[in-house]
């Protein structure tokens, strides 16, 4: 038989067990016996030496295997001794190579080592797991979900953020690396209809949107989270989601709890029952793609960047659409809705007066303030101070502009007629400001340069912002996120980094580095310090997340809890206890991602598309580029530790830039480096037991 025949055409045949086999693995020679290589049945080596797969030999006749020789050494030692010594080799790399060679006993042992460090029940912060719901039947009613914006057979594009025009949130180079999208499916729908696209919460309720339907959960004190509502299956993907479960003023009966979903230019609204179930209120048309959907009290608000706003009131059951200037940001304070527009103006709508103006068909959109430079207002945050007199609250508004400026304006209760006054201006961003948050203690702004965050301390006197000594810079860091414009399956709206939290408490950012990541990093918005990191318990990628402030129970001593909600690609939903993480904050003084963690995250995404677009040759694999990047870090660190002359250091500094982002940019511009023959390792001195390994450089910018 051919398998048993001797090697005639370069294919090794069966031989005696003691036969010496010479291997060339990635340029390094190894010698071992046939018995050592073939004692595991149905492995790569047994197939190779039996002739079932072809072989390639080098000039000396050794069998060439194009794999990593560093990882092959512990694998060969395992075949010889059946003992595992993984020192000096990354565990995931060793497992990957063991799976390639088909060494089942070694794979099982390595997987067991990982299972000892990782539990399917999550860490101490894991608080709950909601399995995927049953896929509902198709929606049957008189309304059609096919609008003019979907005439081409595809749903309207999903906008990245409700505070910026499309594609301004990824202005940095790293943010554009993943903009190459896969071609759409013939049906125009994402490939994974069962994944979580959006998740939001309000008080003790959660709404989860899948591709074509949504479900709602309610927290009951005795029985935990219970599924109380599931919508019918819709015709198009859900792009926006809003939930309200408690209106502080007025008894609305069955309309006290509502959930809304937007697809294209149409909005579907349901009324939820406290004990379960729900009924459809109606379908409303905005006429243009909905880019923001939210509730202000019992009013449902829908806005579009084109400058159109729609309002629905639960008491009057009236839907009204009105044209405004092009809307680039919004925020709500009490019953007031503030709109930031591209002409530099801030408009406001008193939604409480909306039912009184129905006959005039006017939303009473009034201009509150105009930016002195008339830059577009791209981010907006309103803070209402506690009442200090019968005249009312101070109104403090922070806003960011398209030129990168941050301004704070203040409205005194006694000067309502004269409008707000400019309080302070910060010019510390060079890219458009995408997010801003003014709270009791901090002012936080985020710009489009790879989510660069700048934080100031806010000084207050008797609860009101003070001019003396004024705000002082506190921190500057980046929330690196390589999410593409439309995100995983077009659900980038579900991956909002924040900041999350009540205005009188500490806010947090949620960082998801690469699109298919199963790990999230929770970081303080004031300093960038890492609060914790969570990893999905079932290993599936995280496709949506949010933070929910949940009410405390009626039991004595209970307090409100803060939860991180993560939706997974397999349709499940996990809950994580952020209150416990915040309580133990002082025990883990970590910052952003370290160099090793960032390289591990970047292994999951391809950095080469931009290089190929620039005309550079395509990279063989992302691991190759990351390996060259990591070796550059190590060599730079080693030369600095040994005190090498200044010209090489200056050359390395000139080549790789002064920051990690600049080094990544230089790597993408230059493309993959040509392969060089391996250089012999330096001989260790007589007094040392092992050669010196280059020390790993500590990343100075722990802000990723």
């Amino acid at each position: 038989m051919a398998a048993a025949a001797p090697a005639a055409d370069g294919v090794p045949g069966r031989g005696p067990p003691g036969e010496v086999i010479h291997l060339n693995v990635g340029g390094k020679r190894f010698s071992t016996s046939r018995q050592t290589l073939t004692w595991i049945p149905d492995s790569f080596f047994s197939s190779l030496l039996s002739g079932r797969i072809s072989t390639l030999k080098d000039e000396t006749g050794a069998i060439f295997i194009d794999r990593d020789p560093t990882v092959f050494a512990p694998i060969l030692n395992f075949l010889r001794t059946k003992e595992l010594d993984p020192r000096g080799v990354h565990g995931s790399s060793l497992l990957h190579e063991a799976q390639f060679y088909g060494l089942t006993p070694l794979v099982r042992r390595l997987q067991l080592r990982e299972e000892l460090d990782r539990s399917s029940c999550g860490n101490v912060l894991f608080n709950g797991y909601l399995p995927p719901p049953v896929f509902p039947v198709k929606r049957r009613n008189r309304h059609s979900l096919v609008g003019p914006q979907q005439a081409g057979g595809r749903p309207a594009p999903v906008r990245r953020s409700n505070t910026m025009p499309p594609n301004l949130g990824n202005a940095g180079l790293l943010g554009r690396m993943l903009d190459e999208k896969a071609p759409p499916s013939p049906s125009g729908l994402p490939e994974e209809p069962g994944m979580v696209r959006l998740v939001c919460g309000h008080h003790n309720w959660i709404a989860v949107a899948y591709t074509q339907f949504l479900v709602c959960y309610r927290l009951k004190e005795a029985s935990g989270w219970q599924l109380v509502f599931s919508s019918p299956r819709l015709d198009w993907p859900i792009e926006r989601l809003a939930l309200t479960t408690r209106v502080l003023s007025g008894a609305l009966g069955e309309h006290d709890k509502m959930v809304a979903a937007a697809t294209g230019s149409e909005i579907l609204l349901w009324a939820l029952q406290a004990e379960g179930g729900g009924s459809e209120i109606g379908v409303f048309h905005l006429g243009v793609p909905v880019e923001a959907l939210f509730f202000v009290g019992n009013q449902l608000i829908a806005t579009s960047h084109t400058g159109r706003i729609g309002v629905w009131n639960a008491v009057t059951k009236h839907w009204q659409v009105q044209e405004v200037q092009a809307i680039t940001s919004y925020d709500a304070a009490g019953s007031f809705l503030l709109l930031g527009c591209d002409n530099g103006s801030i408009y406001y709508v008193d939604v409480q007066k909306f039912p009184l103006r129905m006959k005039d068909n006017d939303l009473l959109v009034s201009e509150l303030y105009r930016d002195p430079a008339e830059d577009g207002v791209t981010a907006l945050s309103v803070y209402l101070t506690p009442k200090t007199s019968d005249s009312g609250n101070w109104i403090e508004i922070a806003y960011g502009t398209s030129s990168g400026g941050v301004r704070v304006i203040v409205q005194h209760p006694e000067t309502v007629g004269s409008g707000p006054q400019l309080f302070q201006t910060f010019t510390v961003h060079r890219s458009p400001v995408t997010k801003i948050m003014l709270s009791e203690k901090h002012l936080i702004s985020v710009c489009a340069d790879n989510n660069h965050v700048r934080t100031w301390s806010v000084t207050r006197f008797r609860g009101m912002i003070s001019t003396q000594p004024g705000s002082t810079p506190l921190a500057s860091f980046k929330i690196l996120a390589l999410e593409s414009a439309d995100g995983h399956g077009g659900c980038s709206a579900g991956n909002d980094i924040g900041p999350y939290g009540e205005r009188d408490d500490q806010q947090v950012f949620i960082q998801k580095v690469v699109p298919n990541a199963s790990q999230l990093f929770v970081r303080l918005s004031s300093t960038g310090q890492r609060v914790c990191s969570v990893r999905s318990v079932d290993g599936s990628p995280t496709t949506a997340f949010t933070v929910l402030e949940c009410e405390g129970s009626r039991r004595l001593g209970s307090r409100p809890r803060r939860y991180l909600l993560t939706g997974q690609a397999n349709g499940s939903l996990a809950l994580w206890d952020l209150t416990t993480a915040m309580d133990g904050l002082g025990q883990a003084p970590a910052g952003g991602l370290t160099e090793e963690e960032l390289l591990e995250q970047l292994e999951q995404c391809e950095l080469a598309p931009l290089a190929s677009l620039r005309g550079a040759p395509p990279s063989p694999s992302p691991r190759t580029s990351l390996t060259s990047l990591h070796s550059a870090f190590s060599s730079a660190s080693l030369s600095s530790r040994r005190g090498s002359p200044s010209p090489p250091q200056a050359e390395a500094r000139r080549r790789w830039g002064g920051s990690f982002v600049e080094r990544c940019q230089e790597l993408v511009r230059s493309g993959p480096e040509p392969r060089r023959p391996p250089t012999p390792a330096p001989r260790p001195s007589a007094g040392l037991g092992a050669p010196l390994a280059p020390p790993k450089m500590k990343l100075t910018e722990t802000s990723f």
Side-chain angles (χ1 to χ4, degrees):
M1 295 176 64
D9 297 327
V11 178
R14 297 185 183 275
E19 179 187 358
V20 177
I21 304 297
H22 300 286
L23 303 174
N24 180 350
V25 182
K28 186 175 181 180
R29 296 180 61 86
F30 297 89
S31 297
T32 185
S33 67
R34 177 185 291 269
Q35 182 179 8
T36 299
L37 290 177
T38 59
W39 69 268
I40 298 179
D42 298 327
S43 68
F44 170 83
F45 302 107
S46 61
S47 300
L48 182 71
L49 298 182
S50 65
R52 290 196 295 268
I53 59 178
S54 60
T55 60
L56 180 65
K57 294 187 177 182
D58 63 5
E59 65 278 1
T60 64
I63 300 174
F64 178 74
I65 302 175
D66 192 12
R67 305 298 290 185
D68 188 357
T70 305
V71 187
F72 182 75
I75 289 179
L76 182 57
N77 287 334
F78 173 79
L79 293 174
R80 288 167 174 166
T81 64
K82 298 182 176 60
E83 298 293 334
L84 179 61
D85 185 15
R87 289 179 297 180
V89 180
H90 197 275
S92 62
S93 301
L94 189 57
L95 176 60
H96 179 75
E97 293 297 292
Q99 291 172 337
F100 170 80
Y101 292 120
L103 306 178
T104 305
L106 180 57
V107 170
R108 290 176 178 173
R109 185 173 296 190
L110 291 171
Q111 289 176 341
L112 180 60
R113 289 170 57 91
E114 287 190 350
E115 290 297 327
L116 293 177
D117 296 331
R118 186 181 304 170
S119 170
S120 61
C121 299
N123 57 20
V124 70
L125 301 177
F126 180 63
N127 191 264
Y129 182 86
L130 302 176
V134 178
F135 202 82
V137 297
K138 192 172 183 180
R139 179 170 176 264
R140 294 179 300 174
N141 59 12
R142 64 186 182 277
H143 301 293
S144 172
L145 291 182
V146 179
Q149 75 281 357
Q150 294 147 346
R154 294 183 57 196
V158 179
R159 301 304 186 190
R160 182 180 186 276
S161 171
N162 57 15
T163 59
M164 285 294 295
N167 300 329
L168 282 181
N170 280 332
L173 176 64
L174 290 177
R176 295 196 300 267
M177 287 179 179
L178 300 178
D179 281 346
E180 291 295 318
K181 307 175 185 63
S185 61
S187 63
L189 298 178
E191 298 294 339
E192 299 181 55
M195 74 175 186
V196 176
R197 291 175 61 89
L198 300 165
V199 57
C200 65
H202 192 228
H203 294 288
N204 290 346
W205 288 66
I206 296 174
V208 184
Y210 296 87
T211 303
Q212 293 178 279
F213 70 102
L214 64 90
V215 295
C216 294
Y217 298 91
R218 181 193 177 194
L219 178 60
K220 298 184 179 180
E221 187 171 343
S223 55
W225 291 99
Q226 301 294 322
L227 178 65
V228 294
F229 174 73
S230 178
S231 75
R233 182 160 55 95
L234 309 179
D235 293 335
W236 294 104
I238 296 175
E239 299 170 354
R240 290 290 180 262
L241 184 66
L243 175 70
T244 181
T245 59
R246 192 177 70 176
V247 180
L248 299 179
S249 59
L252 298 177
E254 65 176 9
H255 291 158
D256 180 68
K257 300 170 177 60
M258 293 174 285
V259 63
T263 171
S265 64
E266 297 186 346
I267 304 157
L268 288 83
L269 182 63
W270 290 272
L272 305 177
Q273 308 298 330
E275 299 303 322
S279 59
E280 182 177 311
I281 296 177
V283 179
F284 311 107
H285 299 261
L286 189 62
V288 292
V290 177
E291 297 178 1
L293 187 68
F294 54 95
F295 285 94
V296 177
N298 59 333
Q299 280 75 228
L300 175 65
I301 312 293
T303 65
S304 174
H305 179 64
T306 60
R308 187 171 296 179
I309 178 174
V311 179
W312 182 84
N313 185 270
V315 176
T316 61
K317 298 180 176 57
H318 180 76
W319 170 258
Q320 181 174 325
V321 178
Q322 185 167 324
E323 295 290 340
V324 195
Q325 188 73 24
I327 302 170
T328 51
S329 58
Y330 72 90
D331 196 16
S335 63
F336 284 91
L337 171 64
L338 278 78
L339 304 174
C341 299
D342 63 351
N343 63 348
S345 295
I346 299 176
Y347 298 92
Y348 75 93
V349 180
D350 189 350
V351 294
Q352 275 190 346
K353 295 182 179 179
F354 169 64
L356 305 178
R357 302 292 298 182
M358 282 178 51
K359 294 181 180 180
D360 299 336
N361 217 17
D362 185 8
L363 292 179
L364 290 179
V365 180
S366 306
E367 186 178 48
L368 179 68
Y369 183 80
R370 182 178 288 269
D371 182 73
E374 296 188 353
D375 291 333
V377 180
T378 54
L380 195 62
S381 177
V382 185
Y383 180 77
L384 294 179
T385 63
K387 283 191 176 183
T388 56
S389 63
D390 295 335
S391 56
N393 310 76
W394 280 39
I395 301 177
E396 302 169 0
I397 302 173
Y399 69 92
T401 65
S402 57
S403 63
V406 176
R407 302 184 192 273
V408 180
I409 58 178
V410 177
Q411 170 86 50
H412 295 266
E414 295 81 6
T415 59
V416 174
S418 60
Q421 305 298 316
L422 181 61
F423 174 73
Q424 199 161 3
T425 299
F426 305 93
T427 54
V428 292
H429 293 292
R430 299 180 61 187
S431 301
V433 178
T434 58
K435 295 180 179 296
I436 199 164
M437 169 72 79
L438 178 60
S439 64
E440 182 182 3
K441 300 177 181 178
H442 302 107
L443 172 62
I444 305 150
S445 61
V446 185
C447 79
D449 180 16
N450 295 304
N451 292 331
H452 174 223
V453 182
R454 196 64 183 261
T455 305
W456 297 270
S457 294
V458 174
T459 305
R460 295 186 179 278
F461 179 70
R462 293 182 179 176
M464 296 171 288
I465 197 165
S466 174
T467 56
Q468 296 295 332
S471 301
T472 56
L474 185 63
S476 175
F477 55 94
K478 286 186 178 181
I479 306 291
L480 181 65
L482 299 182
E483 190 74 34
S484 59
D486 283 347
H488 188 142
C491 61
S492 169
N495 292 331
D496 186 4
I497 64 171
Y500 295 98
E502 300 293 338
R503 300 293 179 99
D504 55 352
D505 202 354
Q506 178 74 275
Q507 292 82 39
V508 296
F509 283 106
I510 309 298
Q511 182 176 16
K512 175 184 171 186
V513 182
V514 295
N516 293 328
S518 59
Q519 185 177 14
L520 300 179
F521 300 88
V522 182
R523 302 173 60 180
L524 284 181
S525 59
S526 58
T527 62
Q529 179 181 353
R530 186 192 305 179
V531 178
C532 64
S533 63
V534 300
R535 189 184 298 270
S536 61
V537 294
D538 50 19
S540 62
T542 299
T543 55
F545 53 82
T546 190
V547 174
L548 171 63
E549 305 286 338
C550 211
E551 297 174 340
S553 67
R554 300 185 184 92
R555 295 169 183 166
L556 185 63
S558 66
R559 56 171 177 162
R561 308 291 295 183
R562 183 184 300 188
Y563 294 103
L564 169 64
L565 311 178
T566 60
Q568 311 303 134
N570 61 3
S572 63
L573 185 74
L575 291 84
W576 310 85
D577 187 359
L578 285 189
T579 301
T580 300
M582 298 288 286
D583 291 342
L585 185 59
Q587 303 173 5
L593 279 71
T594 63
E595 175 189 344
E596 291 79 7
E597 290 172 329
L598 184 56
L599 290 172
E600 181 181 353
Q601 292 281 321
L602 292 178
E603 283 181 355
Q604 305 177 43
C605 70
E606 180 65 60
L607 297 181
L610 191 60
S612 59
L613 290 176
R614 292 174 180 268
S619 173
S621 67
R623 189 180 297 272
T624 303
S625 302
L626 295 173
T627 304
S628 62
L629 181 62
H630 191 278
S631 62
F633 292 158
S634 302
S635 60
S637 172
L638 186 61
S639 61
S640 62
R641 295 285 184 91
R642 293 179 177 175
S644 56
S646 57
Q649 291 183 5
E651 175 64 22
R653 213 176 283 117
R654 182 194 65 79
R655 178 181 178 187
W656 292 104
S659 68
F660 186 83
V661 174
E662 293 172 356
R663 291 194 289 268
C664 287
Q665 292 171 346
E666 183 63 31
L667 173 67
V668 175
R669 293 193 195 99
S670 61
E673 296 184 356
R675 287 181 174 267
R676 297 184 177 89
T679 56
R683 296 180 177 273
S685 60
L688 296 177
L692 287 174
K696 293 184 179 180
M697 181 180 63
K698 289 296 182 183
L699 195 63
T700 56
E701 297 179 11
T702 59
S703 55
F704 296 96

